[in-house]
Amino acid sequence: MADGTPPPGPDPVGPAPAVRPFLVTAGRVADAASGRSLPVETQVVATAAGLDALDRLSFERYDIVAACRLPQSVAELAARLRLHLNVVRVLAEDLRDAGQLAVYVPDVHATHAASVLRRVIDGLRAVPDSRGVPSDTD
């Protein structure tokens, strides 16, 4: 408010994260303009070298490699770790370059096929809502 007191009620934004995303990536960003940015559906999985290096990795890099014992998409990984999508993209590229993460970028033409999109929609509808009931609305 104008007098410096906070407005009544809960903070609508919530607390700021302890570390800003640009600090985690040393100011680097995923380069979407050049098309080099990893698509959100890119599958990532830890390599044997990555799992061996876990005790030498720091913070977010450790979390990413540890979470990637089983393959998952970049989007799933960002959501699971509660990290900004572009932070995960940059760090995944770093880990790939270090041989600690295997990255499988899907074929662009295959991911835009109508049958693939239909299967994704059907899969999303099969996910239970918070009450455990599958979503079957159109």
Side-chain angles (χ1 to χ4, degrees):
M1 301 196 126
D3 63 358
T5 60
D11 183 4
V13 177
V19 178
R20 297 287 187 198
F22 65 88
L23 291 175
V24 175
T25 63
R28 294 172 298 132
V29 295
D31 193 4
S34 71
R36 295 181 337 148
S37 172
L38 294 176
V40 296
E41 67 272 14
T42 299
Q43 296 291 301
V44 291
V45 64
T47 63
L51 294 174
D52 289 343
L54 266 178
D55 59 340
R56 296 184 304 279
L57 296 175
S58 60
F59 307 109
E60 292 82 9
R61 285 173 175 81
Y62 175 93
D63 293 341
I64 289 171
V65 173
C68 288
R69 293 177 194 271
L70 295 175
Q72 58 191 300
S73 72
V74 170
E76 290 172 309
L77 187 58
R80 176 170 288 138
L81 298 179
R82 295 178 170 237
L83 290 172
H84 190 281
L85 180 61
N86 283 333
V87 168
V88 173
R89 284 175 165 160
V90 169
L91 295 179
E93 290 171 355
D94 290 349
L95 291 164
R96 175 186 57 191
D97 292 345
Q100 297 164 338
L101 203 65
V103 175
Y104 302 97
V105 180
D107 178 20
V108 174
H109 301 293
T111 59
H112 291 115
S115 63
V116 172
L117 295 175
R118 175 47 68 192
R119 287 197 316 262
V120 169
I121 291 169
D122 292 343
L124 290 172
R125 285 190 178 135
V127 174
D129 66 9
S130 61
R131 298 170 293 159
V133 178
S135 173
D136 58 355
T137 60
D138 279 307

